Amino acid sequence: MAVFDHKAFLKTLSTEPGVYRMYDDEHQVIYVGKAKNLKKRVSSYFRANIPDSKTRVLVSNICNIEVTLTNTETEALLLENNLIKKYQPRYNILLRDDKSYPYIFLSGHKHPRLAFHRGARKYKGEYFGPFPSSAAVSESLRLMQKIFPVRQCEDVYYRARSRPCLQYQLKRCSAPCVGKVSDEDYFDQVDLVRQFLNGKSQQVIAKLVARMETASMALNFELAAKYRDQIALLRQMQEQQSIAGNFAEMDVIGFVQQNGLCAIHMLMIREHKVLGTKTYFPKVPKDSLQDEILTSFIGQYYLSGGTHSRIAKEIILPFALQEQEELACALSEVAQRKVIFRAQVRSERAQYLALANKNALNSITVKQSAQDSINKRYALLKEALQMSDIQRMECFDISHTMGENTVASCVVFDAQGPNNKEYRRYNVTGVTPGDDYAAMDFALNKRYGKLQDETKVPDVIFIDGGKGQLGRAEAFFADWSLDKLPLLVGVAKGTSRKPGLETLLIDGGRRTVNLDSDSPALHLIQHIRDESHRFAIAGHRNKRQKQRTQSVLEEIEGVGLKRRQALLKYLGGMQGVKSASIHQLKQVPGISPKTAEKIFNHLHDKA
């Protein structure tokens, strides 16, 4: 490994704020950091005596450093988190849940719809949130559907209605699609939804109470009962979400680090309501300090995802941070309002912090228990397969219906269990329908045909099938060029195909292993096999459903979305298009005689 000349590098380094990237001998980014003074910060890594063992290991692997200057420390913080997300350096604290946060979306249509939303805000309308999890959004939408009869159906479904759907019969939608409610009354409900999502639930209840009394005075008891039911559901929802206290907007962070694991629990309070909670398990390098972990987590949590509306006005910390003031200033600048960090808290804030810490401790206990169970299963599986170590396992399965829409799945398990990010599906093409052996060849070639990175080669590959499937896998690996060769194991079902009676086939079936039905090693294999089966079936069903819902018109070259819409509109749907003559097709705006003839021939060839 080339020796990095840090003295020559430091002489040229600027004292301005910025971000530095450290590279190893393979030019891989191993650490990303920010600094108010780049020269001072980077110089600290090359002191004579570094007490931190993690930093010593990091420095020993540095072969090059690159820097990017920024105008302010806030810009450096934003750039640092973008680069951490991009490169995933092994010596950084990594927040592995990088999904954008879910919102409730109120669209800007003629008849607005309520919907779940995650991602870029590219649609016209209003966004309420963020919520800590998709489950919190789904639960809120479910409850609101009972209270406010505002549509939640997709636009395609809404436009195609000619009569009310089941939601109207259940009194969960006022059916604006077919005119069962006036625009004025519908917008009144939408306005109540808007106020409720903005935290003005008391004002909404007050309005409904006034309307109930007015309806009662007018002897319109049916309408009064409707308002009464809305009020009761709203108060029930308030009881479920409200907390004892007067804090309108606050995030409370619980923190526990033990046995090499770290759990960070977020408690989110908005508009005097608990939106929900979520526990994170960031990837933490060995010997990382609590201050470093939490500081890095806060930056990645609040500044990733492209939107900063999740930043609360007040953030309760489990302990004070060295860069607490700098972080507060940076988040305030990004949020364009003052953000306060509090570490020494009393009274109600202390109760919330104790609750968050308690949840973090419980989460880490559960995770460690699950990890201990996984470790035990791995140890017993290594013993059963007579292997010294297992770090990565993969399993293949094939799914189809009478040979159609064949999909192959590959699932990956590592030392922590399922690694969902590594899962892959392959649409099998160019093979005889129903030929599972050829489909397995196809999947193995797709997966390993061009593989050069030996770290991606699994220790064990499970094939869900008997000797035939296993034989095709062994034939594929007969000409394997890499040094590392995976152990191929067939998982054959028993004669009754009941779980617990599986036989493991090794060496092409020449060696068999039968595990007890209550063996944790067998349970691990069943988990891997069932996961590959589930993943394959899900892919096959999606492909089959897409084929069923795809319009025949989409297969015709030159007939785009606008022409398809014109055909369906002017000829009264797909049946009208199929029964139309070439002359009738030519009468549709945008359809030339040549295109009409092409459409007619395609549809009748299909028939």
Side-chain angles (χ1 to χ4, degrees), residues 581-599:
S581 65
I582 295 178
H583 177 72
Q584 289 172 320
L585 291 169
K586 287 192 294 186
Q587 306 304 312
V588 177
I591 304 298
S592 66
K594 185 177 179 180
T595 304
E597 187 176 350
K598 185 189 293 185
I599 294 169

Side-chain angles (χ1 to χ4, degrees), residues 550-577:
Q550 186 178 30
S551 170
V552 179
L553 298 175
E554 293 182 44
E555 302 172 4
I556 307 174
E557 185 180 355
V559 181
L561 176 62
K562 290 185 177 180
R563 285 179 175 174
R564 292 199 301 271
Q565 290 176 339
L567 286 164
L568 295 171
K569 179 179 178 181
Y570 283 88
L571 295 173
M574 196 62 216
Q575 291 301 321
V577 176

Side-chain angles (χ1 to χ4, degrees), residues 14-15 33 80 152 173 316 318 326 331 334 352 369 376 390 430 476 589:
S14 171
T15 58
E80 178 198 31
Q152 295 190 18
C173 180
I316 307 301
E326 292 86 345
L331 295 186
V334 170
Y352 302 145
S369 176
K376 180 181 179 181
I390 296 178
F476 174 84

Side-chain angles (χ1 to χ4, degrees), residues 407-468:
V407 172
S409 72
C410 174
V411 301
V412 180
F413 276 52
D414 57 23
Q416 281 72 48
N419 188 343
N420 302 83
K421 290 184 178 180
E422 297 279 348
Y423 284 18
R424 295 293 182 272
R425 290 194 190 102
Y426 306 104
N427 291 321
V428 179
T429 57
V431 303
T432 304
D435 188 346
D436 287 355
Y437 294 160
M440 183 61 67
D441 284 339
F442 181 92
L444 291 169
N445 189 60
K446 276 284 188 180
R447 183 67 171 173
Y448 307 114
K450 297 180 180 179
L451 184 64
Q452 297 297 325
D453 184 1
E454 286 207 354
T455 62
K456 295 291 186 179
V457 178
D459 300 294
V460 183
I461 296 177
F462 290 102
I463 305 296
D464 186 16
K467 290 184 179 181

Side-chain angles (χ1 to χ4, degrees), residues 17 115 176 205-206 237 260 291 310 340 358 477:
I205 290 176
M237 192 173 180
D291 184 281
R310 76 170 70 99
I340 300 173
K358 182 179 180 180
F477 283 99

Side-chain angles (χ1 to χ4, degrees), residues 158-172:
Y158 162 77
R159 287 194 295 265
R161 298 305 300 172
S162 58
R163 59 179 182 176
C165 67
L166 182 62
Q167 295 300 325
Y168 175 76
Q169 306 296 332
L170 296 173
K171 298 182 179 180
R172 294 185 178 183

Side-chain angles (χ1 to χ4, degrees), residues 111-389:
H111 295 127
R113 69 181 285 250
L114 272 173
F116 175 100
H117 178 84
R118 191 198 292 274
R121 301 185 184 188
K122 57 184 179 181
Y123 302 109
K124 183 180 178 182
E126 300 169 72
Y127 297 83
F128 301 91
F131 289 78
S133 66
S134 58
V137 174
S138 299
E139 178 65 12
S140 295
L141 287 173
R142 187 186 68 80
L143 291 172
M144 291 177 66
Q145 195 174 37
K146 294 181 179 179
I147 302 169
F148 306 107
V150 174
R151 75 177 182 98
Q152 295 190 18
C153 60
E154 295 284 348
D155 294 337
V156 174
Y157 186 79
Y158 162 77
R159 287 194 295 265
R161 298 305 300 172
S162 58
R163 59 179 182 176
C165 67
L166 182 62
Q167 295 300 325
Y168 175 76
Q169 306 296 332
L170 296 173
K171 298 182 179 180
R172 294 185 178 183
C173 180
S174 51
C177 51
V178 292
K180 290 291 184 179
V181 61
S182 67
D183 289 351
E184 183 181 354
D185 289 343
Y186 188 79
F187 284 124
D188 179 64
Q189 290 297 317
V190 170
D191 187 56
L192 291 175
V193 168
R194 186 180 292 111
Q195 291 182 58
F196 179 77
L197 289 172
N198 279 319
K200 300 177 181 178
S201 52
Q202 287 298 337
Q203 291 91 319
V204 173
I205 290 176
K207 281 186 179 182
L208 292 174
V209 167
R211 293 178 185 180
M212 181 180 67
E213 291 175 349
T214 302
S216 181
M217 293 292 291
L219 304 182
N220 190 346
F221 299 117
E222 185 177 348
L223 183 60
K226 175 186 170 184
Y227 290 134
R228 178 203 62 200
D229 294 342
Q230 279 187 297
I231 293 165
L233 285 168
L234 272 171
R235 284 181 171 151
Q236 180 184 345
M237 192 173 180
Q238 272 190 318
E239 289 174 2
Q240 292 175 355
Q241 289 187 321
S242 62
I243 57 174
N246 299 310
F247 299 104
E249 183 174 322
M250 183 169 66
D251 282 350
V252 185
I253 303 177
F255 184 97
V256 171
Q257 185 182 18
Q258 65 181 28
N259 300 331
L261 284 176
C262 176
I264 298 177
H265 186 83
M266 294 294 302
L267 171 66
M268 297 177 66
I269 299 168
R270 299 291 187 275
E271 301 295 342
H272 301 278
K273 295 191 290 290
V274 176
L275 286 185
T277 63
K278 189 170 184 178
T279 304
Y280 296 87
F281 298 94
K283 183 180 178 183
V284 179
K286 188 179 179 181
D287 299 326
S288 297
L289 301 176
Q290 290 187 350
D291 184 281
E292 179 189 5
I293 296 170
L294 191 56
T295 299
S296 183
F297 170 83
I298 288 172
Q300 293 181 57
Y301 177 82
Y302 287 109
L303 300 178
S304 63
T307 174
H308 310 309
S309 59
R310 76 170 70 99
I311 303 177
K313 294 178 181 177
E314 187 176 344
I315 300 171
I316 307 301
L317 301 176
F319 47 82
L321 302 174
Q322 293 181 9
E323 298 183 18
Q324 187 168 307
E325 291 186 11
E326 292 86 345
L327 272 174
C329 291
L331 295 186
S332 297
E333 186 175 331
V334 170
Q336 298 183 346
R337 54 185 170 82
K338 189 173 183 180
V339 176
I340 300 173
F341 282 100
R342 299 185 191 275
Q344 301 296 327
V345 293
R346 294 181 296 176
S347 188
E348 292 177 4
R349 290 188 180 92
Q351 293 176 12
Y352 302 145
L353 180 58
L355 180 62
N357 284 327
K358 182 179 180 180
N359 278 279
L361 178 60
N362 179 68
S363 298
I364 207 169
T365 302
V366 171
K367 189 174 182 68
Q368 285 176 336
S369 176
Q371 188 61 50
D372 290 343
S373 176
I374 290 173
N375 292 340
K376 180 181 179 181
R377 290 182 176 190
Y378 270 71
L380 292 172
L381 182 60
K382 285 188 289 186
E383 182 181 336
L385 298 179
Q386 300 176 10
M387 299 183 67
S388 59
D389 191 27

Side-chain angles (χ1 to χ4, degrees), residues 458-511:
D459 300 294
V460 183
I461 296 177
F462 290 102
I463 305 296
D464 186 16
K467 290 184 179 181
Q469 292 279 37
L470 182 61
R472 299 303 284 259
E474 291 198 331
F476 174 84
F477 283 99
D479 300 325
W480 188 240
S481 59
L482 300 180
D483 293 334
K484 183 178 179 181
L485 183 67
L487 175 67
L488 302 177
V489 180
V491 183
K493 299 180 178 68
T495 53
S496 63
R497 303 181 69 83
K498 290 183 179 180
L501 301 178
E502 292 87 351
T503 298
L504 306 185
L505 307 176
I506 305 173
D507 295 335
R510 293 178 292 277
R511 180 161 69 96

